[in-house]
Amino acid sequence: QVQLVESGGGLVEPGGSLTLSCTASGFSLDVYAVGWFRQAPGKEREGISSMGRDGQTYYVDYLRDRFTISRDDVKNTVYLQLNRLNPEDTAVYHCAADRDIKKIRLGARTWEYDFYGQGTQVTVSS
């Protein structure tokens, strides 16, 4: 089955860390730009970070000092390291892959991406 599957979410206390994974199956991730998004209840989806095929990264300013994107094309997986989490980080985190880095960075409708995962829930609470 051709898809992206996120994992690694869960319940974490404020100040804690998580590593999210996004694994591609049925296709090779190395020819795609990748990105992470999140959507909190009642809020619009927001872009977090992206990485091009060349490894160049982009972060939304207010998250760049706490979140880190990386990719391992051998494992066909993209990661998002989340540090110093706070309750405002509670959301469903999604990954996307697209041949057009502009769509990842500038945003597009979910169905416009080549691949978009179902998401993994991150809940930050004491």
Side-chain angles (χ1 to χ4, degrees):
Q1 193 170 0
V2 182
Q3 60 182 354
L4 284 174
V5 178
E6 300 92 338
S7 62
L11 175 63
V12 62
E13 292 186 348
S17 299
L18 283 174
T19 300
L20 306 183
S21 300
C22 169
T23 300
S25 60
F27 68 100
S28 294
L29 204 54
D30 60 354
V31 297
Y32 292 88
V34 293
W36 284 95
F37 304 84
R38 69 182 183 183
Q39 187 162 20
K43 294 185 178 180
E44 292 188 356
R45 188 190 71 189
E46 61 176 337
I48 298 170
S49 180
S50 65
M51 178 178 279
R53 294 173 55 190
D54 59 359
Q56 186 172 13
T57 58
Y58 166 82
Y59 295 91
V60 65
D61 283 343
Y62 53 88
L63 294 175
R64 67 170 57 245
D65 63 338
R66 296 193 294 120
F67 292 1
T68 304
I69 189 172
S70 61
R71 64 191 296 169
D72 185 335
D73 289 333
V74 173
K75 294 183 178 179
N76 229 17
T77 299
V78 183
Y79 304 95
L80 187 68
Q81 176 68 37
L82 314 177
N83 296 322
R84 303 197 309 276
L85 286 162
N86 60 66
E88 289 69 41
D89 296 316
T90 295
V92 179
Y93 286 69
H94 299 266
C95 64
D98 201 281
R99 292 179 183 270
D100 185 355
I101 183 64
K102 295 184 182 68
K103 287 168 62 177
I104 297 288
R105 291 187 178 176
L106 299 179
R109 296 180 175 86
T110 300
W111 59 88
E112 292 177 328
Y113 292 113
D114 291 336
F115 300 98
Y116 192 83
Q118 291 298 308
T120 185
Q121 175 71 47
V122 172
T123 302
V124 185
S125 176
S126 55

